């Protein structure tokens, strides 16, 4: 039925459909190498010599087809990029002529029709190209935006998209640090500006590595909260999806304009990974002679790009909520079905054990898609021998001369149902000649191409004469998508009225109601804005979680009692959705205390990790602001003696501690002496262990109270240490007693801690004693640890080394002990070696590399370990090696490791030599986005890790243990990036040749 509907829509073409033109033997072979999902057929639309190196395409309102060619990938910045216009001169429906519409482009990555020309992304610029004399060649070239980093071409600005809300969205992420091609791709970007309007808004340098949206005519420009690598897409309702290498689909849940409502709220990440089959998901290539390079992770998604929501409606209902991603390294196209899941989504495989499209040809490199006016899916094939970038390949491949093999080739395929779809649009659409009323009717199309094209044309024309037709769609159309387009067009043409929005808010389809809320948000300050508020408030009990989520965000912009009441009701219902919790805190900026009581009630009824996280985030936000009265009010609740409340109280205190540990003097200025005393009073056997330690940790940051109570508690703590009680939880109480005593800064307690370390105590007590000893400045204590460390159990040895890592003086003492053989090098765990060899102080880093005897002749080390490839490895033994040496930084299927470095499941299908090379010589190729940063804070502390996210106000850094900390930029004194891999050379010092064979067997599951 959908196919029939599409045909009826296209009857005005009056154009005959012919069979595809006869292909050359080479092209026929390429076509025959493809295997598509049952029920579909693949056709070749165009190929070389008409096009070469295609990466993006656009079809304008007249049916003219434009293709972007990126010839310069991977290293050529000479301006070889082009945009070509394809023509059908023999009237068979397929292109047979190409015209160079624009050239002299560096590394162009995307194209979008705009007004009478095209927007093209070519870092550092967003360009506008137009042909004013109708010769098929652009004679206008203007910079609309500039300042984006010209970084590695796999990570540059890309994919301009005109979307439902009348904004243009750009795919973008942070610049990648080159270690090989620094000259070519070392650019970090500058402020993002409109070059033609110096007074227009601008963004921070390189937009903080985030995606961007803008409006050229009104000079509006905004940084988004998510980032993407190559490609991004939206569903019919404006939900935004991204893709990046192994993480093939994730959703931007919390928009930046709502996060900015509360800059005190610290959010590590505003996007949600939604694949239910994981990152680096298993895939099913059919390639007969695969050509995988150094960082290729064969057998799993590794090069995801070009994510596209299918809105063509020609494939049947099964494809109504399907996304496609290109996986060029494995020569295939992967598809997911996307389903609602609260405020976000879940993406599941369309096909089990097979892909939507796969090729036997190793040169087939799908990189992007286009949903055409016929509803077909157009697959853009870059067709190269090598698709990986030489930044992450061996020197042999880079110097082989094969990097540009295939640069004179390229194909675009068309996927259609077996019944076929007419290829009768090329140069024949003539929508530019349609009246406003005729274009308005196209908004009712089942194909998103027509809806989006008609919306763009009507917006450009500001066609007021279409307003009646748009309103008719709002009331009479049976297609909810058409109603959403009509709504946004009325808004974009400044013709929106109250009744239009009210109608959308009352629509039976949740997606229309969502968009009605967004449009209402734009009009809250209009003449009828006040009349919309009751309609918005009425949606607080909407059956759709996404409608409630959008309402929660929008109502945050309304500072009224009724708005607060509605938001509170939504939060009570949805607090167990972590995104609703974050949105709620953002919406109550400056009034976070209003929701604290509701959070307590909900936690008491249903304690879940989500409600605990919500309370922690809420307390952190309250403690991070300047509202002392609000903070005191919260502390009064925490300090109340209501039974059975320790769980939420501990969560709140942990949130405060997490905030203050990076802020110099914050706790001292906000926490009063009586409040400190109440916290100290929780050092009691009657308090739960989690509440007791949470209270003590906050005091460690804020400082102990002075006076009689402290003296009493210190005496109690000493007594607890010497107690022989066998009560439950006595060991935890002893450990907490030691923790309290360690805060008293009394060196006279050092002998007590030392004695504990020579006794048979539970590990929790020994660990606490060792940490306490580490807090002293006593050199004698350090000598004691060096003497006794040989007798410590393995876990305690790790803690002992950490004592020395707490400051540079102690590190030198530790390294000296190793250098003089007083201490065996084996006492260091691998993560500790990593930390020392990457230390921010150059002198210590150099000393560590000398003492730890890292053989810098990596070729010689690799040659020695090549023996492991001839040995039979044991998977069970290899798992033990992994858990001992790798799990502290990496995860892999079957082992619960730490999410710090790349997931090593991605190495499974590489050949053994490649795996060994990466282990022995990690600096040979540093995975993008895994740079090691050191942050020196104004409070004197130092944090090292990977920057997970960054925006104008905050930096999220993932530390070596996997912990993610969000730090306000105002608290950072200095940021420094390491010039080497987070995994330095030297792992071989901890792994024998046989153990290496075992480790490789475990990683490869062989």
């Amino acid at each position: 039925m959908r196919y029939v509907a599409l045909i009826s829509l296209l009857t005005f073409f009056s154009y005959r459909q012919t069979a595809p033109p006869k292909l050359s033997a080479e092209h026929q072979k390429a076509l025959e190498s493809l295997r598509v999902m049952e029920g579909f057929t693949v056709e070749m639309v165009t190929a070389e010599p008409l096009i070469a190196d295609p990466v993006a395409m656009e079809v304008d309102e007249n049916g003219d087809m434009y293709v972007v060619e990126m010839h310069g990938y991977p290293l050529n910045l000479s301006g070889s990029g082009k945009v070509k216009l394809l023509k059908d001169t023999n009237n068979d429906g397929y292109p047979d002529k190409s015209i160079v519409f624009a050239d002299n482009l560096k590394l162009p990555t995307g194209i979008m029709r705009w007004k009478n020309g095209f927007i093209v992304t070519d870092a550092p610029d967003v360009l506008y190209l137009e042909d004013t004399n109708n010769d098929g060649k652009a004679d206008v070239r203007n910079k609309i935006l500039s300042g984006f980093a010209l970084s590695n071409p796999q990570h540059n600005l890309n994919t301009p998209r005109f979307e439902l809300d009348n904004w243009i969205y750009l795919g973008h992420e942070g610049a990648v640090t080159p270690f090989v091609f620094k000259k070519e791709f070392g650019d970090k970007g500058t402020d993002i500006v409109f070059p033609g309007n110096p007074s227009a808004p601008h963004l921070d340098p390189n937009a903080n590595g985030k995606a961007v949206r803008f409006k050229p005519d009104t000079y509006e420009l905004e940084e988004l909260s998510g980032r993407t690598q190559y490609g991004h897409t939206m569903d019919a309702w404006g939900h935004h999806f991204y893709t990046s290498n192994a993480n093939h689909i994730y959703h931007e849940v919390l928009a930046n304009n709502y996060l900015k409502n509360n800059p005190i709220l610290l959010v590590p990440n505003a996007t949600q990974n939604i694949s239910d089959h994981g990152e680096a998901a298993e895939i099913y290539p059919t390639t007969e002679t695969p050509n995988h390079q150094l960082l290729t992770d064969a057998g799993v998604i590794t090069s995801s790009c070009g994510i596209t929501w299918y809105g063509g409606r020609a494939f049947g209902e099964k494809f109504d909520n399907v996304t496609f991603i290109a996986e060029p390294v494995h020569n295939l196209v992967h598809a997911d079905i996307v389903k609602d899941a609260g405020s976000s989504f879940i993406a599941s495989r369309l096909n089990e054990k097979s892909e939507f499209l796969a090729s036997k040809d190793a040169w087939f490199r799908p990189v992007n898609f286009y949903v055409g006016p016929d509803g077909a899916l157009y697959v853009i094939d870059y067709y190269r021998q090598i698709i990986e970038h030489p930044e992450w390949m061996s020197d042999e491949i880079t110097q082989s001369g094969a990097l540009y093999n295939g640069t004179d080739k390229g194909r675009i395929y068309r996927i259609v149902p077996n019944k076929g779809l007419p290829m009768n649009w090329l140069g024949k659409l003539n929508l530019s000649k349609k009246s406003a009323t005729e274009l308005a009717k196209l908004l009712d199309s089942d194909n998103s191409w027509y809806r989006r094209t008609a919306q763009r044309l009507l917006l450009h024309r500001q066609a007021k004469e279409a307003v009646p037709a748009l309103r008719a769609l709002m009331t009479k159309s049976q297609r909810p998508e058409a109603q959403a387009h009509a709504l946004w067009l009325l808004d974009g043409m400044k013709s929106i009225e109250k009744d239009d929005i009210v109608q959308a808010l009352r629509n039976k389809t949740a997606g229309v109601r969502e968009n009605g809320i967004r449009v209402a948000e734009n009009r809250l300050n209009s003449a009828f804005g006040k009349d919309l508020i009751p309609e918005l408030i009425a949606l607080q009990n909407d059956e759709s979680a996404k409608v409630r989520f959008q309402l929660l965000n929008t109502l945050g912009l309304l500072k009224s009692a009724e708005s607060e009441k509605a938001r509170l009701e939504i939060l009570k219902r949805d607090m167990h959705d972590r995104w609703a919790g974050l949105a709620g805190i953002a919406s109550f900026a400056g009034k976070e205390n209003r929701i604290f009581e509701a959070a307590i009630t909900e936690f008491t009824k249903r304690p879940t990790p989500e409600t605990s996280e919500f309370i922690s985030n809420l307390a952190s936000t309250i403690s991070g602001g300047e509202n002392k009265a609000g903070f005191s009010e919260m502390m009064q609740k925490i300090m109340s003696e209501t039974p059975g409340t320790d769980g939420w109280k501990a969560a709140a205190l942990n949130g405060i501690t997490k905030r203050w540990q990076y802020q110099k003097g914050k706790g001292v200025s906000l926490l009063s002496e009586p409040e400190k005393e109440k916290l100290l009073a929780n050092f009691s056997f009657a308090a739960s262990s989690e509440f007791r330690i949470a209270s003590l940790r906050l005091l460690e940051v804020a400082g102990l109270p002075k006076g009689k109570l402290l003296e009493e508690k210190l005496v109690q703590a000493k007594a607890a240490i010497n107690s022989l009680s066998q009560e439950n939880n006595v060991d935890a109480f002893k450990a907490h007693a030691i923790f309290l005593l360690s805060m008293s800064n009394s060196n006279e307690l050092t002998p007590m801690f030392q004695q504990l370390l020579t006794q048979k105590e539970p590990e929790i007590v020994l660990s606490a004693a060792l940490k306490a000893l580490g807090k002293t400045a006593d050199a004698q204590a350090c000598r004691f640890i060096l003497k006794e460390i040989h007798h410590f159990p393995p876990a305690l040895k790790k803690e002992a080394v950490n004592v020395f890592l707490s400051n540079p003086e102690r590190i030198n003492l530790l390294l000296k002990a190793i250098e003089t053989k007083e201490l065996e090098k084996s006492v260091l765990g691998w993560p500790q070696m990593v930390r020392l060899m990457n230390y921010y102080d150059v002198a210590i880093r150099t000393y560590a590399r000398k003492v730890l005897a890292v053989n810098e002749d990596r070729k010689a080390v690799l040659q020695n370990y090549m023996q492991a490839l001839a040995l039979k490895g044991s998977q069970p033994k290899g798992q033990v090696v992994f858990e001992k040496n790798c799990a502290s930084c990496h995860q892999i299927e079957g082992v619960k490791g730490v999410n710090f470095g790349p997931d090593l499941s991605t190495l499974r299908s590489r050949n053994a030599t490649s795996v060994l090379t990466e282990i022995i010589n990690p600096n040979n190729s540093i995975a993008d986005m895994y740079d090691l940063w050191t942050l020196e804070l104004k409070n004197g502390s130092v944090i090292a890790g990977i920057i997970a996210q960054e925006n104008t106000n905050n930096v999220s850094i993932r530390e070596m243990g996997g912990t993610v900390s969000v730090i306000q930029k105002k608290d950072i004194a200095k940021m420094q990036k390491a010039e080497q891999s987070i995994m330095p050379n030297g792992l071989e010092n901890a792994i024998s040749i046989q153990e290496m064979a075992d480790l490789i067997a475990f990683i490869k599951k062989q």
Side-chain angles (χ1 to χ4, degrees), residues 633-845:
E633 180 186 335
M634 176 180 69
M635 289 303 298
Q636 288 176 12
K637 289 184 172 68
I638 295 173
M639 294 298 102
S640 66
E641 297 182 3
T642 308
T645 59
D646 282 6
W648 70 259
K649 290 178 178 179
L653 293 177
N654 288 334
I656 299 170
T657 302
K658 193 173 182 179
R659 164 75 68 155
W660 285 355
Q661 66 180 324
Y662 303 125
Q663 294 185 301
K664 189 174 184 179
K666 188 73 174 181
V668 176
S669 64
L670 277 183
L671 208 59
S672 67
E673 282 294 303
E675 288 167 341
K676 290 181 179 180
E677 288 184 350
K678 287 183 178 180
L679 285 171
L680 184 58
N682 294 326
F683 177 67
S684 163
F685 202 78
S688 70
S689 178
E690 62 176 340
F691 185 39
R692 183 170 59 238
I693 191 59
S695 298
L696 293 177
R697 283 174 178 156
L698 180 54
L699 286 173
E700 183 182 32
V701 173
L704 290 165
K706 300 174 182 177
K708 185 178 178 181
L709 179 62
L710 176 60
E711 295 176 1
E712 292 174 355
K713 290 297 181 180
L714 291 176
V715 170
Q716 182 184 354
K718 292 176 183 177
I721 290 173
N722 296 318
S723 171
L724 299 177
S725 171
Q726 298 298 311
E727 293 183 65
N728 290 335
N729 299 320
V730 69
D731 294 337
F733 189 69
K734 274 188 177 182
H736 297 167
I738 296 169
F739 185 78
L740 173 58
L741 290 170
S742 72
M743 286 191 280
S744 66
N745 295 321
S746 176
N747 285 339
E748 66 185 39
L749 295 173
T750 298
M752 177 190 294
F753 300 145
Q754 291 178 350
Q755 184 179 354
L756 283 168
L757 287 169
T758 61
Q759 297 174 179
K760 289 186 178 180
E761 295 281 356
E763 192 167 299
I764 187 175
V765 175
L766 292 174
S767 177
L770 190 55
K771 290 176 181 176
L773 202 59
K775 290 181 181 179
T776 70
D778 191 347
Q780 188 273 331
C782 292
R783 288 192 290 272
F784 169 82
I785 294 173
L786 286 174
K787 177 183 176 182
E788 296 294 327
I789 195 171
H790 307 282
H791 307 298
F792 292 165
L796 205 61
K797 287 181 179 178
K798 179 180 177 181
E799 293 284 359
V801 172
N802 285 337
V803 168
F804 289 92
L805 298 184
S806 61
N807 64 57
E809 291 77 17
R810 292 182 181 182
I811 290 176
N812 281 316
L813 186 63
L814 174 69
L815 292 173
K816 187 68 175 178
I818 294 173
E819 185 178 33
T820 59
K821 308 298 184 183
E822 181 183 355
L823 200 60
E824 291 294 327
K825 185 165 55 178
S826 60
V827 76
L828 297 175
W830 176 244
Q832 292 165 328
M833 291 180 68
V834 169
R835 183 173 172 184
L836 286 169
M837 290 187 285
N838 278 319
Y839 203 73
Y840 68 95
D841 182 277
V842 176
I844 290 179
R845 183 168 68 242

Side-chain angles (χ1 to χ4, degrees), residues 145-146 190-194 197-205 207 219-223 952:
L145 290 174
S146 191
T190 58
D191 284 3
I192 309 300
V193 299
F194 288 97
N197 188 349
S199 63
H202 68 276
L203 300 178
D204 287 349
Y219 297 104
E220 295 174 75
L221 178 64
E222 294 183 2
E223 174 188 312
T952 304

Side-chain angles (χ1 to χ4, degrees), residues 545-561:
K546 286 186 172 60
V547 171
R548 296 194 304 273
F549 181 73
Q550 180 58 52
L551 184 64
L552 183 59
N553 283 307
T554 295
L555 289 180
L557 306 176
L558 284 174
K559 309 304 179 184
S560 67

